[in-house]
């Protein structure tokens, strides 16, 4: 009886591992399909086909197309949080460096994270698609990639300049500085075309990093004589 019980436990563990792997495979396939076709254009059949599973797997593992879409967004958001946590912590670490140095280093880290392109292209496509719809998936990913970092940046710039953190002018300046950086991922081809480049090489990324930091710091650390 003991061996039988152990056998059942082993089988349950094996099924659990397979289930996790299947869910992961379906989520990755969903990111690709939703990124290519959008939410409305992606059928459950195309999602199942890309993942190499039967149609019943979608309701079985996720409940339906909508839940799979949200799970895909959650996967990207969870990954983004891990990448962004050190930058947010650095901005708020008052004992680490002065305000200007923390802002400068955080801007550089954010730009290099966005521009390095190590994440699958499908992730950027997924984000661009859901950004157009401004839906729950977009809000979930935006919170982890931009919003938390933006709030920390506003707080730090406010402390450095004495400007009120709620000041709309300050918030616009931060939003524009970060938007400029995000464009190197979401509008990558347009940016490359404008610069006459075919790719972002390490040397080009380094040059852009210096320029963006110089321009952004000059704007963020200035104290406007009057409201925007």
């Amino acid at each position: 009886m003991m061996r039988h019980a152990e056998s059942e436990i082993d089988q349950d563990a094996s099924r659990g591992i397979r289930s996790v792997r299947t869910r992961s495979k379906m989520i990755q396939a969903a990111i690709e399909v939703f990124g290519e076709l959008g939410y409305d254009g992606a059928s459950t059949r195309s999602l199942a086909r890309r993942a190499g599973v039967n149609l019943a797997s979608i309701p079985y593992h996720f409940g339906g197309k909508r839940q799979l879409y949200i799970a895909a967004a959650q996967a990207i958001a969870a990954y983004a949080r891990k990448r962004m946590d050190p930058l947010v912590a650095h901005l708020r670490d008052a004992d680490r460096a002065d305000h200007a140095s923390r802002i400068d280093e955080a801007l550089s880290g954010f730009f290099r994270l966005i521009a390095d392109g190590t994440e699958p292209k499908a992730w950027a496509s997924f984000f661009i698609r859901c950004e157009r719809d401004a839906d729950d998936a977009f809000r979930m990913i935006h919170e982890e990639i931009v919003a938390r970092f933006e709030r920390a940046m506003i707080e730090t710039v406010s402390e450095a300049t004495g400007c009120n953190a709620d000041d709309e002018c300050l918030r616009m300046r931060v939003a524009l500085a970060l938007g400029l950086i995000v464009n190197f991922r979401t509008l990558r081809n347009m940016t490359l075309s404008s610069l006459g480049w075919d790719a972002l090489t390490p040397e080009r990324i380094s040059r852009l990093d210096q320029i963006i930091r110089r321009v952004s710091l000059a704007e963020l650390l200035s104290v406007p004589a009057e409201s925007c």
Side-chain angles (χ1 to χ4, degrees), residues 83-110 148-149 152-153 155-156 159:
R83 296 291 303 274
M84 294 301 301
D85 274 347
L87 295 181
V88 173
H90 182 79
L91 267 174
R92 289 178 166 153
D93 188 358
D95 297 327
R96 186 162 184 168
D98 61 84
H99 292 98
S101 296
R102 283 171 15 225
I103 293 168
D104 182 39
E105 292 163 5
L107 285 170
S108 178
F110 185 57
R148 287 193 309 125
F149 183 70
M153 182 64 74
E155 292 170 9
T156 308
E159 292 169 2

Side-chain angles (χ1 to χ4, degrees), residues 16-42:
I17 292 172
R18 288 198 301 271
S19 179
V20 169
R21 288 175 177 168
T22 299
R23 284 177 58 89
S24 178
K25 182 169 65 173
M26 292 172 68
I27 286 172
Q28 292 307 314
I31 292 172
E32 294 174 6
V33 174
F34 286 125
E36 293 170 9
L37 306 176
Y39 180 80
D40 292 333

Side-chain angles (χ1 to χ4, degrees), residues 58-127:
I58 294 177
Y60 176 79
H61 287 283
F62 296 96
K65 173 183 167 181
R66 178 68 183 175
Q67 293 90 329
L68 175 56
Y69 179 63
I70 295 301
Q74 289 173 333
I76 295 176
Y79 175 85
R81 172 173 279 273
K82 291 179 182 178
R83 296 291 303 274
M84 294 301 301
D85 274 347
L87 295 181
V88 173
H90 182 79
L91 267 174
R92 289 178 166 153
D93 188 358
D95 297 327
R96 186 162 184 168
D98 61 84
H99 292 98
S101 296
R102 283 171 15 225
I103 293 168
D104 182 39
E105 292 163 5
L107 285 170
S108 178
F110 185 57
F111 171 71
R112 289 181 177 273
L113 187 152
I114 293 295
D116 68 5
T118 54
E119 293 77 27
K121 291 182 180 180
W123 289 28
S125 298
F126 183 98
F127 180 72

Side-chain angles (χ1 to χ4, degrees), residues 193-208:
S193 179
S194 296
L195 294 171
W197 294 346
D198 57 350
L200 279 179
T201 64
E203 188 271 336
R204 287 169 175 170
I205 288 176
S206 182
R207 287 166 56 196
L208 285 169

